[in-house]
Amino acid sequence: MINFSLSDEQKQMQQLARQFTRDVIVPQAAAFDRSEAFPKEIVAQVHDLGLLNAIIPESCSGLGLGMLDEVILGEEFAYGCMGIYTILMASDLGTTPIILAGTEEQKKRFLSPLLKGPNLAAFALSEPDNGSDAAAMKTRASFDGDDVILNGNKMWITNGGLADITVVFASFDPDLKHKGVLAVVVEKDAPGFSHQKIHGKMGQRASWTAELIFDNVRVPKANILGEVGEGFKIAMKTLDKTRVPVAAGSVGLARRALDESNKYASERLAFGKPINQIQSIQIKLAEMKMGIETARWQTFYAAWLVDNGMPHTEASAIAKCYASDMAFNAANEAIQVHGGYGYVNEYPVEKLLRDVKLNQIYEGTNEIQRLVIARSVIYSL
Ligand code: CAA
């Protein structure tokens, strides 16, 4: 049976997030974009609403939101600011490997304390020299008694260094390639663990991005998730899930691009009439609308597969890739509709284009998504 309606609870949650976005995120987004400051108060307010780290299971005193709930919220927050949404989304990215592969004891130990305040998690896979080829990681894990010792660097880590817990992927035997990778939880204050904030990003400047440095960082083996050697698969299974919220954020951003374009086109006059009466502008609005609706349904479908425990690797890659490419085009066209005004930061659309570029890159570039989709097509024969 196909059901296209949201539950009453989901509609309420959507309404709550929409109102918060309108009242809190939208008015402050441009200032955080300019200052590159971390929006600590906004994260605290999301925590107060009960919507931070909301995927943490009920067994750890969390809300235990499903993927469909998560994407409904994600679309709303990203409408206001993709960079601010990335902070919230990346915390879910950091908790997902623990939810997927942690023991009950590890879940309680690492996830329950996160809920006590506006606390964040992070996910550390990419490195200065390895992004798409994740299995080629250089960060090393060695063993000493009951401890794991980490050495190396991780790059482009959202919430890096601010997060209370970071799931780190490291190789204990490079000859084993992906089979030599482990996933381990590192706490913020671990000796030898430091970070360097990355400045000068093109967009999503409210989100905190850092390089992580591990200099003989000692963590107990009790922090390893799953079996040693399962780390790569834990990373892949995590990304299969978390690419869906990236798709949702892209839909939210594209919806903002359409709303801004629609408003501007109703006010701006050319050839004696509002430009929304000119066919070439109408076509742009229609293209944006088609893209948003199509991407949202693919996002909801991928979320539904996740929530129902069905295979979702291909569907989440399609959602992430399609939605972020669509949103890039929507933001680009929004600037075109605004003409010269779209090119200056007096209007919000130039920020949309700078922000959305990252959606085509992080959580697996769109080239990697196409590779995942192509493999699924080829091996289904
Ligand atoms: N689920 C479960 N297992 C999987 C899997 C999946 N989706 N994909 C691969 N595997 C398994 C394979 O079955 C294989 O296992 P066996 O050896 O037992 O057969 C193993 O993993 C290796 O698979 P591949 O040979 O396919 O691996 P590969 O080296 O060719 O890489 C890849 C595959 C898809 C390119 C992968 O490296 C990848 O996804 N790269 C992109 C990494 C990425 O998304 N990084 C984003 C970082 S996070 C970020 O950006 C976040 C941020 O801060 C906001």
Side-chain angles (χ1 to χ4, degrees), residues 55-57 59-60 91-114 120-123 164-169 183-187 222-226 234-235 237-238 241:
I55 65 166
I56 292 180
S59 61
C60 301
S91 196
D92 292 337
L93 173 64
T95 58
T96 298
I98 303 172
I99 295 169
L100 280 176
T103 61
E104 281 311 308
E105 185 277 325
Q106 287 173 323
K107 287 180 197 172
K108 290 210 163 67
R109 185 152 57 96
F110 295 124
L111 301 180
S112 302
L114 282 186
L120 298 169
F123 176 93
D164 286 67
I165 52 166
T166 304
V167 175
V168 179
F169 298 87
V184 66
V185 181
V186 177
E187 288 169 278
N223 288 15
I224 294 174
L225 301 173
I234 294 171
K237 285 183 185 162
T238 297
K241 286 194 156 46

Side-chain angles (χ1 to χ4, degrees), residues 86 89-90 93 123 125-126 131-135 156-158 178-179 232-233 236-237 239-240 243 313 361-365 368-369 371-372 375:
T86 287
M89 182 176 74
L93 173 64
F123 176 93
L125 178 66
S126 299
S132 294
D133 186 6
W156 314 119
I157 309 304
T158 307
H178 66 271
K179 289 190 164 67
F232 187 78
K233 286 192 186 175
M236 292 300 109
K237 285 183 185 162
L239 290 162
D240 279 349
R243 286 169 181 158
T313 302
I361 297 172
Y362 65 10
E363 299 216 23
T365 62
I368 291 295
Q369 308 309 319
L371 178 147
V372 169
R375 281 182 180 180

Side-chain angles (χ1 to χ4, degrees), residues 7 12 70 100 139-140 159 180 253 277 280 346 355 360:
S7 68
Q12 278 167 12
E70 207 184 331
L100 280 176
T139 299
R140 291 287 168 262
N159 304 335
L253 185 147
Q277 298 305 308
S280 61
E346 183 189 338
D355 285 353
Q360 296 179 306

